[in-house]
Amino acid sequence: MKFYISTTGIKRLTISNSGKGSATTTSKVSRRIWSRTLLPVLLVLAIGLSFLFLRVAFLVLESAAVCSTPLDCIGRRFFSGRDTSLKLRDELTRALVEAKEGKVNQEGAESFNELVMEMTSKGQDIKAFAFKTKAMLSRMERKVQSARQQELVYWHLASHGVPKSLYCLCLKLADEYAVNAMARSRLPPPEYVSRLADPTFHHFVLLTDNVLAASVVVSSAIQNSAKPEKLVFHIVTDKKTYTPMHAWFALNSIKSAVVEVKGLHQYDWSQAVNVGVKEMLEIHRLIWKHYYKSLKVEDFEYDEEHNRYFDVLSPRSLSLMNHLRIYIPELFPDLNKIVFLDDDIVVQHDISSLWDLDLNGKVVGAVFNSWCGDNCCPGRKYMDYLNFSHPVISSNFDRDQCAWLYGMNIFDLEAWRRTNISAAYHQWLKLDLKSGLELWNPGVLPPTMIAFEGQVHPIDPSFHVPGLGYRSVEFSKGKLKDAAVIHFSGPAKPWLEIGLPEVRSLWNRYVNFSDKFIKKCRITV
């Protein structure tokens, strides 16, 4: 084999083989070089053409908004691509700001697809797009707000009803009272009658027509009492609920405590008391009628201002049991001190220390302040109940004063009888009627607060935690656990389906689900 190399470089390469002849390999080398460079070139061209296609397609899509013709837009973007994008962004920003400050005089599209169809079919500009988008969003916001308002209305209306299971319970117990002598047995048994007026015992008073709720109050108080044998429960109910209420506590007798069930039809009141009760109920009926008419003629959007309509239209606002609190001294003439309990409370700890409290000559002990501080009220302030734009209210009361909590209170009935609280209550009711019902928001608490003005002694806030019947509970689990009494004040009572699941269990644990009547009526709250 022979190699020929010139002095200026490799000009020619000749390979000769004396044994088998010679061949020139220049063409073969050229073909190898070409095959090795062809594939990378084709790949580069494919990637470049794909990018070019996408770029042109994007420019054509944008041309409708910023260019007179697609070709003109493509030319602009190739030579000044970033500048046009910034211009488009600035134009869109100006259109959105103008739409934000401007008024929309047209109904928005029903959906995003409808908006796209409208914009593409009419070939409208960015400004039109901004205004139409604002109209569509405004329309949707109105729908969402309307749905929320309707949901709140239905929620309030649901709170006014009585579950079918509770009706069932009353009917079954009333039937049992008629056919079962045990259900008609005397309450309390004769050997315990003397305790009903004994001042050495701790007397609880409940005014209710809810059998299930009353059973929970009694059961929770007994289970959490240090000395349940010292407890005496006085349950006052109306005529229609008397037989089922009596049957329940007769069939579920409690050996460690005394329970008395009494119907209003069993009281022999004086003529003066009868007249006062009828007058009070008539005024509250007129208040109910006034707000019912206002609600009927007014096509309103639900808000906090109209929340009072639903409060006053609640059946509780016309319930005699709800208004008889002001007549507790007449209901129990032989008692000197009692603890009043609402039927929507749960007693979690022993509260016997309430009877040892010195009320300093005041009539009622109630929670004023809260653990949130001196400037915080556990419930609300006077301005949330009373109309301080009226001179009669503004001249007699402090708008920033904390309202005391009603629902778990210690009453000194001897001190009450020495005052004119009941008479003052009636006087303020009449004054409110003469003032066109403008002195306070409707409800039982405002006139009661006024009548007891100056007669309330503050007690420890841990005795009474309210507000568990509202849509959101703001108390921590620790504070709820430490509270002696928790109060389901608000529309969402624990025996209703709208009751809040996170706190309903605190009430459910005292329901006797093993009772045959509870099972028959399928009470599974």
Side-chain angles (χ1 to χ4, degrees):
M1 178 183 294
K2 297 181 181 179
F3 294 92
Y4 298 93
I5 303 175
S6 67
T7 57
T8 59
I10 300 175
K11 297 293 185 179
R12 185 182 61 178
L13 175 63
T14 304
I15 303 173
S16 63
N17 193 320
S18 58
K20 296 182 179 179
S22 63
T24 304
T25 60
T26 330
S27 59
K28 292 183 180 180
V29 174
S30 300
R31 283 196 298 269
R32 289 174 184 168
I33 295 174
W34 171 250
S35 62
R36 291 177 181 177
T37 57
L38 177 61
L39 184 58
V41 171
L42 289 176
L43 289 175
V44 170
L45 288 175
I47 295 173
L49 290 174
S50 300
F51 175 77
L52 181 63
F53 172 77
L54 293 175
R55 183 69 170 168
V56 171
F58 178 75
L59 294 176
V60 170
L61 290 175
E62 284 190 346
S63 65
V66 297
C67 307
S68 58
T69 65
L71 291 177
D72 178 45
C73 188
I74 293 172
R76 286 192 200 176
R77 291 302 298 257
F78 270 123
F79 293 102
S80 59
R82 185 172 296 274
D83 293 340
T84 305
S85 179
L86 291 174
K87 289 179 181 179
L88 177 62
R89 186 187 65 185
D90 293 341
E91 185 176 349
L92 179 59
T93 301
R94 286 194 298 271
L96 292 174
V97 171
E98 187 175 349
K100 176 184 176 182
E101 299 175 352
K103 293 183 179 181
V104 178
N105 299 321
Q106 56 186 339
E107 285 293 327
E110 290 283 351
S111 65
F112 179 75
N113 290 338
E114 184 179 328
L115 174 66
V116 172
M117 185 179 296
E118 186 176 350
M119 292 298 301
T120 55
S121 62
K122 296 181 180 180
Q124 296 180 340
D125 57 11
I126 290 180
K127 181 178 179 180
F129 168 77
F131 273 87
K132 288 184 179 296
T133 302
K134 178 184 178 180
M136 183 185 73
L137 293 176
S138 298
R139 181 188 184 115
M140 292 181 176
E141 286 176 357
R142 289 194 300 270
K143 285 186 175 181
V144 170
Q145 184 64 21
S146 177
R148 287 176 178 172
Q149 292 166 352
Q150 289 180 6
E151 191 268 340
L152 287 172
V153 171
Y154 296 149
W155 187 76
H156 272 277
L157 292 178
S159 71
H160 295 173
V162 178
K164 183 173 64 174
S165 57
L166 295 190
Y167 274 122
C168 171
L169 182 63
C170 283
L171 292 175
K172 295 291 185 184
L173 288 170
D175 289 341
E176 193 72 11
Y177 183 89
V179 301
N180 188 350
M182 287 292 296
R184 298 190 301 272
S185 58
R186 187 172 177 179
L187 286 178
E191 61 269 25
Y192 295 131
V193 171
S194 61
R195 296 186 184 184
L196 296 179
D198 191 333
T200 62
F201 286 84
H202 298 163
H203 297 269
F204 290 94
V205 169
L206 285 83
L207 308 177
T208 179
D209 57 359
N210 189 322
V211 177
L212 186 64
S215 71
V216 169
V217 174
V218 173
S219 177
S220 64
I222 292 175
Q223 290 186 36
N224 295 296
S225 174
K227 296 180 179 180
E229 67 278 2
K230 296 283 290 184
L231 306 183
V232 179
F233 294 89
H234 304 267
I235 301 176
V236 180
T237 189
D238 55 20
K239 188 175 182 179
K240 67 178 176 59
T241 314
Y242 170 73
T243 54
M245 187 76 75
H246 186 106
W248 173 269
F249 286 101
L251 296 173
N252 295 275
S253 60
I254 304 169
K255 297 181 180 179
S256 58
V258 173
V259 177
E260 176 195 30
V261 176
K262 200 169 183 180
L264 291 176
H265 60 288
Q266 297 173 325
Y267 281 92
D268 186 19
W269 286 338
S270 66
Q271 182 65 21
V273 173
N274 281 329
V275 171
V277 170
K278 290 180 180 179
E279 184 181 65
M280 173 185 67
L281 290 178
E282 178 61 22
I283 293 177
H284 283 292
R285 188 189 67 81
L286 292 175
I287 294 174
W288 185 93
K289 187 176 181 180
H290 168 77
Y291 282 95
Y292 177 76
K293 286 183 177 179
S294 299
L295 180 66
K296 198 171 182 181
V297 301
E298 194 174 324
D299 183 19
F300 66 88
E301 294 279 330
Y302 178 90
D303 53 25
E304 288 299 325
E305 178 66 20
H306 289 96
N307 187 33
R308 59 180 184 166
Y309 286 95
F310 295 100
D311 289 339
V312 75
L313 294 180
S314 168
R316 292 174 64 88
S317 65
L318 291 178
S319 172
L320 176 59
M321 308 309 304
N322 208 30
H323 295 295
L324 277 180
R325 305 175 184 187
I326 201 68
Y327 282 99
I328 286 180
E330 284 75 17
L331 289 171
F332 303 99
D334 299 326
L335 297 180
N336 297 327
K337 183 177 284 188
I338 61 103
V339 166
F340 173 79
L341 298 176
D342 256 339
D343 62 3
D344 54 353
I345 68 99
V346 171
V347 180
Q348 298 191 127
H349 302 293
D350 180 62
I351 55 175
S352 59
S353 59
L354 286 173
W355 278 268
D356 299 327
L357 285 178
D358 183 5
L359 299 181
N360 295 321
K362 306 293 185 182
V363 172
V364 55
V367 170
F368 268 104
N369 301 317
S370 176
W371 45 74
C372 54
D374 295 335
N375 297 323
C376 175
C377 296
R380 299 179 180 177
K381 296 183 178 182
Y382 269 39
M383 63 181 177
D384 296 315
Y385 295 100
L386 308 180
N387 179 18
F388 279 87
S389 63
H390 198 286
V392 173
I393 297 297
S394 59
S395 60
N396 286 280
F397 305 101
D398 178 11
R399 62 185 294 112
D400 293 321
Q401 181 177 339
C402 285
W404 51 280
L405 296 181
Y406 213 168
M408 196 292 299
N409 308 100
I410 176 77
F411 284 103
D412 185 340
L413 299 186
E414 284 187 323
W416 190 337
R417 295 184 184 102
R418 293 193 295 267
T419 67
N420 64 341
I421 288 176
S422 298
Y425 179 87
H426 282 274
Q427 291 174 1
W428 278 99
L429 279 182
K430 294 177 182 178
L431 183 59
D432 183 47
L433 189 61
K434 291 180 181 179
S435 303
L437 306 176
E438 294 181 352
L439 296 186
W440 55 72
N441 293 335
V444 178
L445 188 55
T448 305
M449 285 167 36
I450 294 175
F452 280 92
E453 180 71 11
Q455 293 292 341
V456 186
H457 179 75
I459 63 177
D460 193 288
S462 63
F463 272 111
H464 189 183
V465 172
L468 273 68
Y470 289 98
R471 292 177 67 88
S472 59
V473 179
E474 299 179 355
F475 301 102
S476 66
K477 291 183 178 180
K479 290 178 180 178
L480 288 178
K481 184 179 179 180
D482 294 339
V485 170
I486 55 174
H487 191 180
F488 288 83
S489 55
K493 302 303 181 186
W495 54 83
L496 299 175
E497 290 186 2
I498 63 172
L500 302 180
E502 55 266 30
V503 293
R504 185 188 288 177
S505 60
L506 300 175
W507 188 83
N508 285 351
R509 68 180 65 174
Y510 298 104
V511 177
N512 184 9
F513 290 107
S514 62
D515 180 80
K516 66 177 183 178
F517 297 104
I518 297 287
K519 291 180 178 179
K520 285 181 180 179
C521 294
R522 299 178 180 179
I523 296 176
T524 57
V525 292

